[in-house]
Amino acid sequence: MQIYLYNSDDFDSLSAAIKERRIIAAMAVFFELGQKDNPAVDPIIQGLKGVVHHGK
């Protein structure tokens, strides 16, 4: 999963921030599929539910 961050107070979209050559951040998270549930990823899943600007 890749997550891109930019200042949403200044820009309506990631592409607008890139076009203006502003600072953005990128984070990559790798998941390994397995047969059992892994409770260690629960905080990540719960955190994603709280994303304020989902889809931006």
Side-chain angles (χ1 to χ4, degrees):
M1 173 175 59
Q2 294 178 332
I3 300 172
Y4 296 94
L5 305 145
Y6 64 95
N7 188 341
S8 61
D9 292 333
D10 293 337
F11 301 99
D12 292 329
S13 67
L14 175 64
S15 60
I18 292 171
K19 185 176 180 180
E20 294 291 325
R21 299 181 182 266
R22 297 299 295 265
I23 295 173
I24 62 168
M27 178 175 66
V29 180
F30 296 93
F31 294 98
E32 181 179 346
L33 298 177
Q35 297 295 321
K36 298 178 186 177
D37 287 343
N38 183 348
V41 297
D42 287 344
I44 297 169
I45 294 168
Q46 294 303 316
L48 290 173
K49 291 179 181 179
V51 172
V52 177
H53 298 284
H54 182 79
K56 288 189 175 183

